[in-house]
Amino acid sequence: MDHVETILGQWKKQRPDLDCSPMGVIGRVGRARQLMTNKLDDVYKRYELSSIEFDILASLRRLGEAVTPTELYQTLMLSSGAMSTRVDGLVKRGLVERQASEIDRRSCLVTLTTEGLALIDKVVEAHVANEHQMLLALTEEEQAQLAMLLKKWLVANE
């Protein structure tokens, strides 16, 4: 029995007329998110990164090319101010660099430095290993089924 099951039992006792089954799904997704976030943050902290810094570096690595700060913040759903502050910090740490745009003098491109590339490659390996560890309670088939169900829900709700 998990924590959510206890809550559902309490509601069933107090309000047997009310179908609280959605609480089982939403509550478990919320608790899972909280637990996953803590475990993910543990990996980022090991490499002295915040989750946003990891997302920026991972996005640059995944995209494989220099991008504008606007493209980055749209990919990560951050405000332009938050993106600028985070990129400034990563520039100071020598993990990314800004290059003046050849097309628009008011714009720049952000790219990984050699040090940033080496770091994100190490961190993403630890990150993926951590995610594998978190999913050990599920078989590969169950993981695929859960991924498919979450995708279906996201397509309907995003």
Side-chain angles (χ1 to χ4, degrees):
M1 203 157 119
D2 67 352
H3 180 72
V4 175
E5 191 71 28
T6 301
I7 291 169
L8 290 171
Q10 292 165 343
W11 277 117
K12 186 169 183 72
K13 182 178 176 184
Q14 298 301 320
R15 288 290 311 271
D17 59 307
L18 187 61
D19 175 14
C20 293
S21 60
M23 287 183 187
V25 175
I26 303 301
R28 286 183 177 102
V29 168
R31 288 196 45 91
R33 179 181 181 268
Q34 182 181 31
L35 292 168
M36 285 186 262
T37 297
N38 292 341
K39 290 180 184 224
L40 294 172
D41 285 346
D42 287 345
V43 171
Y44 308 146
K45 287 176 189 170
R46 235 185 293 151
Y47 294 92
E48 300 178 1
L49 294 172
S50 68
S51 62
I52 293 172
E53 291 168 332
F54 170 82
D55 287 344
I56 292 169
L57 296 174
S59 292
L60 289 169
R61 180 65 169 120
R62 188 178 66 246
L63 294 168
E65 61 186 15
V67 296
T68 67
T70 300
E71 291 169 321
L72 263 180
Y73 83 72
Q74 288 173 341
T75 298
L76 300 172
M77 295 182 289
L78 293 173
S79 70
S80 60
M83 178 58 66
S84 183
T85 301
R86 298 301 178 160
V87 169
D88 286 346
L90 292 170
V91 167
K92 288 177 186 171
R93 291 172 58 188
L95 300 175
V96 302
E97 61 186 8
R98 285 189 172 101
Q99 303 166 343
S101 171
E102 296 174 6
I103 300 167
D104 182 353
R105 292 176 53 191
R106 296 169 295 165
S107 184
C108 69
L109 296 173
V110 180
T111 188
L112 290 168
T113 62
T114 303
E115 294 82 9
L117 178 63
L119 177 64
I120 194 57
D121 279 349
K122 279 193 284 188
V123 179
V124 81
E125 288 174 16
H127 173 75
V128 170
N130 187 33
E131 290 181 326
H132 279 290
Q133 183 69 32
M134 284 190 271
L135 294 174
L136 281 177
L138 304 174
T139 66
E140 286 185 24
E141 183 180 319
E142 289 168 333
Q143 290 176 39
Q145 183 180 21
L146 179 58
M148 185 268 310
L149 290 170
L150 290 169
K151 177 183 175 181
K152 180 178 181 178
W153 185 89
L154 287 169
V155 167
N157 286 278
E158 281 186 324

